[in-house]
Amino acid sequence: MYKVLIPVDGSTRCERAARHIVGFTKVAGEMEVHLLYVHPEVKDWEVKRFLREQEIEAVVSAQAEEALQASCNVLKAAGIPYVVHTVVGEVAQTIAAMAESQACDQIIMGTRGMTALGDLLLGSVATKVLHLVHVPVTLVK
């Protein structure tokens, strides 16, 4: 079965990547879709000083749920089954590691995310992912 990874950050481009999959399944047939939300590790001592680890995990979980909602809705409406992954780590490396660990055949992702720097460039995360993986990457605007 063809496996696809869609990194999700809550941007409209990620929702478009999910819509791209809907069209893609009409051509490719049944596939296994993995939605991945990566939250950067919280290293700020000020945050850790005032929030317990469980509180930080709750915030990350809430942000993941919000970021994944639109893409999940698109896939659900199209009847496409999917698996959700939420990971804390460095974004590009985590995407590459997930694609490898799930034996994904392709990554479909937005060209820009929700970060300020990402809005200025093609997408620093997308560029890093292109250099880290050995599977095709489709960038959706």
Side-chain angles (χ1 to χ4, degrees):
M1 180 179 300
Y2 198 76
K3 296 182 181 183
V4 178
L5 176 66
I6 305 175
V8 176
D9 65 4
S11 68
T12 57
R13 285 176 168 76
C14 293
E15 184 179 348
R16 287 187 198 135
R19 291 187 191 288
H20 181 78
I21 285 291
V22 172
F24 193 54
T25 57
K26 293 176 183 173
V27 175
E30 189 178 343
M31 62 179 58
E32 185 176 308
V33 178
H34 294 268
L35 296 177
L36 171 64
Y37 174 79
V38 182
H39 192 283
E41 187 176 349
V42 177
K43 296 180 182 180
D44 189 355
W45 68 270
E46 290 176 331
V47 172
K48 289 188 170 193
R49 181 176 174 198
F50 293 106
L51 295 176
R52 293 186 313 247
E53 196 64 36
Q54 296 84 0
E55 292 170 316
I56 293 171
E57 289 173 9
V59 169
V60 168
S61 179
Q63 288 176 340
E65 188 176 317
E66 184 178 331
L68 288 158
Q69 185 175 10
S71 296
C72 288
N73 289 343
V74 167
L75 296 174
K76 228 181 266 185
I80 298 171
Y82 58 90
V83 178
V84 171
H85 306 271
T86 299
V87 181
V88 173
E90 199 290 317
V91 179
Q93 278 86 359
T94 303
I95 293 169
M98 182 63 68
E100 185 174 331
S101 72
Q102 296 300 318
C104 292
D105 299 297
Q106 184 174 6
I107 299 172
I108 299 178
M109 62 189 295
T111 55
R112 293 191 218 181
M114 298 282 288
T115 63
L117 180 61
D119 286 339
L120 296 174
L121 306 171
L122 161 68
S124 59
V125 171
T127 302
K128 287 179 188 176
V129 169
L130 284 169
H131 292 2
L132 291 171
V133 299
H134 302 288
V135 296
V137 178
T138 300
L139 300 176
V140 179
K141 285 174 82 175

